[in-house]
Amino acid sequence: MAGIGFALRRLARRDDLLGVLQGYAHSAFITSGPWMFTILALAGINFVGRGMVGPEELSLFRVVVIYNFCFSVVLTGPLVLVATRYLADAIYAKAVDAAPGMLLATLGLAYALAALTAGPFYLLFSDLPAPILAGGLVNFFLVCGIWVVSIFLSALKDYLSVTTAFGLGMLGGMAMTAALGAFYGAAGMVWGFSLGLAGIQFGLIARVFAEYPYKVARLFAFLAYFRKYWDLALIGLVANLAVWSDKWVMWFAPEREVVSGAMVIHTAYDSAMFVAYLTILPALTLFTVNIETRFFEHYQGFYRDIQSHATYDQIARNHRSIIAALVESGRNLIILQGAVCAVTIFTAPAIVGALGLHYQQIGMFRFGALGAFFQAMFLFCTVILAYFDLRGRNLAVQLLYLAANAGFTLAFSRLGFAWYGYGYFLGSLLAFAVGYLMVADAVRRLPYFAFVANNPSVR
């Protein structure tokens, strides 16, 4: 993400307020576009749709969108992370002519995964009416495609086109969902939402082909990276499983809703957590625009000087500068996200009331905001581990987060409604604590990792 982060940082450093607002707004779409689109669209459609369709129609629409987003991100996670590494290496080697072919190949593989998984599920287990079933399948394919195209977002310096694609897609999707839903119920809502997703996906694809105007060649060259980076593929799978594990556990709680066939959700828990996730947007934008770019400059200087046969004193100075940058950036991040979290917790009743949620969800929402705070900090720890290519540590802490999030949520779900949300909060807290210790140890021993542990010649 540092690639586009530098362009956004220059925009944010313009000597006017508009530049700052534009920089952080673009960053929000680039870092969080797909899931932000989902949450805002669900909230907006749920708010507007109450007067147009009945509760059952809204439930059918919600369950289709939630299932499509959660299972698509899990299924495409390994593919997306390995392909991202391939693209990053290609950009570093200045050999990006394979990018168009890789895009088409990854889209094809994502669609194949969608056909092999969502196809049988919708046909055999969903019990949905045919128009909603067909719309749900199309929607699943489109969501998978957006996750794949998101590989290229950080490499596109034209942040305006990315924001435009997401912005127009969001507005068009919500408008079409409302318009078609008024005439065709849940089926119209699913197809209208899919039209918005199609606008986002094909708009971004067009931008990628414009950015990389090369012939389509070497479509499946990146598949060799699955053997080399098998642990990276596992990280992509486990990380997304961990994020969704608490929701899946809650889908078996006593208050769950059986919407259609095997499709169940827990509306109270899901909606509270989705809204709580929005509280990490300020931290994500700050990280992309300021923190990661500053860290990357010191990170790049550290390894560049090693390649230039720098003296030990220079390497030690660079090491200290990385530590100082991380300490200062971490402090700023914790202050910002902590303030947002505190305000959210104190104003939770007003937020819940304004969004049309039930007041019984206030407790879940508050613990969701706390959990999101620690999940954001955990995410940034895993990004630093990825920079230092510590894939073993990254996989281990992701497995811990999966076990903690699912295990704590299961334990507290048995204690009753008043305890819902504690599991996600404690799982995120534990994962962050372990992730922080791993990062602190790696940064403290960075020269050892650079010269010995991660040195291919030593291996």
Side-chain angles (χ1 to χ4, degrees):
M1 292 303 294
I4 200 166
F6 285 110
L8 294 175
R9 188 176 68 175
R10 286 193 296 271
L11 178 63
R13 285 181 173 178
R14 252 174 37 188
D15 193 21
D16 59 86
L17 180 60
L18 182 60
V20 175
L21 294 175
Q22 286 179 339
Y24 286 101
H26 289 307
S27 178
F29 280 105
I30 290 161
T31 58
S32 320
W35 67 263
M36 185 173 67
F37 171 70
T38 310
I39 295 172
L40 292 177
L42 278 173
I45 292 165
N46 186 60
F47 184 76
V48 176
R50 291 177 178 178
M52 299 185 303
V53 297
E56 292 184 0
E57 299 284 307
L58 274 177
S59 294
L60 286 174
F61 170 74
R62 278 198 304 265
V63 75
V64 168
V65 174
I66 291 172
Y67 269 58
N68 284 354
F69 268 82
C70 77
F71 289 109
S72 65
V73 73
V74 171
L75 287 171
T76 59
L79 176 65
V80 166
L81 214 54
V82 172
T84 300
R85 178 59 190 256
Y86 179 83
L87 178 64
D89 288 351
I91 292 174
Y92 180 77
K94 295 181 174 59
V96 294
D97 57 302
M102 188 197 82
L103 173 61
L104 294 179
T106 50
L107 280 172
L109 290 173
Y111 293 155
L113 286 171
L116 292 173
T117 54
F121 176 82
Y122 271 110
L123 292 171
L124 301 176
F125 302 104
S126 69
D127 289 342
L128 291 170
I132 302 178
L133 188 151
L137 276 174
V138 170
N139 189 273
F140 192 88
F141 277 79
L142 289 169
V143 176
C144 287
I146 288 178
W147 294 129
V148 168
V149 180
S150 67
I151 297 169
F152 294 83
L153 294 189
S154 63
L156 295 176
K157 302 301 186 292
D158 187 3
Y159 45 79
L160 181 60
S161 63
V162 174
T163 304
T164 301
F166 276 111
L168 292 178
M170 287 174 63
L171 294 175
M174 293 181 67
M176 293 304 297
T177 301
L180 295 179
F183 291 98
Y184 303 105
M189 295 176 74
V190 172
W191 282 101
F193 188 68
S194 297
L195 288 174
L197 293 178
I200 294 174
Q201 177 178 322
F202 294 113
L204 293 176
I205 290 174
R207 187 59 242 169
V208 171
F209 279 113
E211 186 82 11
Y212 299 99
Y214 305 104
K215 293 182 179 179
V216 175
R218 295 183 289 155
L219 275 75
F220 296 99
F222 74 96
L223 290 181
Y225 268 47
F226 276 93
R227 178 180 298 178
K228 184 178 181 181
Y229 295 108
W230 59 268
D231 44 5
L232 202 58
L234 280 178
I235 291 171
L237 175 65
V238 175
N240 290 308
L241 285 172
V243 169
W244 280 95
S245 59
D246 62 307
K247 289 80 175 170
W248 292 339
V249 169
M250 292 302 299
W251 290 354
F252 293 93
E255 298 87 358
R256 69 173 182 165
E257 303 167 41
V258 180
V259 180
S260 178
M263 303 181 79
V264 298
I265 55 173
H266 194 298
T267 302
Y269 183 84
D270 293 342
S271 57
M273 291 302 160
F274 291 160
V275 175
Y277 281 158
L278 290 177
T279 61
I280 69 173
L281 273 176
L284 287 175
T285 55
L286 177 67
F287 185 79
T288 303
V289 177
N290 287 325
I291 295 176
E292 189 174 9
T293 49
R294 184 184 177 195
F295 162 75
F296 182 74
E297 289 171 333
H298 294 288
Y299 164 90
Q300 198 174 40
F302 177 83
Y303 286 100
R304 183 178 58 242
D305 286 352
I306 289 176
Q307 291 175 334
S308 302
H309 309 289
T311 64
Y312 175 78
D313 287 341
Q314 181 60 42
I315 293 172
R317 281 195 296 271
N318 290 340
H319 183 203
R320 289 192 295 271
S321 69
I322 286 180
I323 294 175
L326 285 175
V327 169
E328 182 179 352
S329 299
R331 179 196 64 203
N332 294 339
L333 201 63
I334 289 173
I335 291 173
L336 172 66
Q337 189 59 31
V340 171
C341 182
V343 170
T344 301
I345 290 172
F346 289 133
T347 60
I351 295 173
V352 166
L355 295 176
L357 302 178
H358 200 280
Y359 280 98
Q360 288 181 327
Q361 297 174 264
I362 291 176
M364 284 185 287
F365 176 64
R366 282 172 167 161
F367 280 101
L370 275 173
F373 169 78
F374 288 110
Q375 185 181 349
M377 299 301 110
F378 170 72
L379 173 64
F380 302 142
C381 289
T382 61
V383 169
I384 302 303
L385 290 174
Y387 264 105
F388 296 134
D389 205 24
L390 298 173
R391 299 191 298 275
R393 293 188 177 206
N394 217 332
L395 179 57
V397 76
Q398 295 289 1
L399 286 168
L400 171 69
Y401 188 31
L402 172 59
N405 198 17
F408 283 133
T409 301
L410 179 61
F412 283 103
S413 67
R414 295 175 176 174
L415 299 178
F417 192 89
W419 296 90
Y420 293 171
Y422 276 77
Y424 167 61
F425 159 60
L426 290 177
S428 299
L429 173 60
L430 177 62
F432 165 65
V434 175
Y436 170 79
L437 292 175
M438 286 186 174
V439 170
D441 176 69
V443 173
R444 180 178 62 85
R445 298 194 295 153
L446 184 56
Y448 167 76
F449 283 105
F451 285 97
V452 180
N454 277 356
N455 189 337
S457 63
V458 173
R459 292 174 185 170

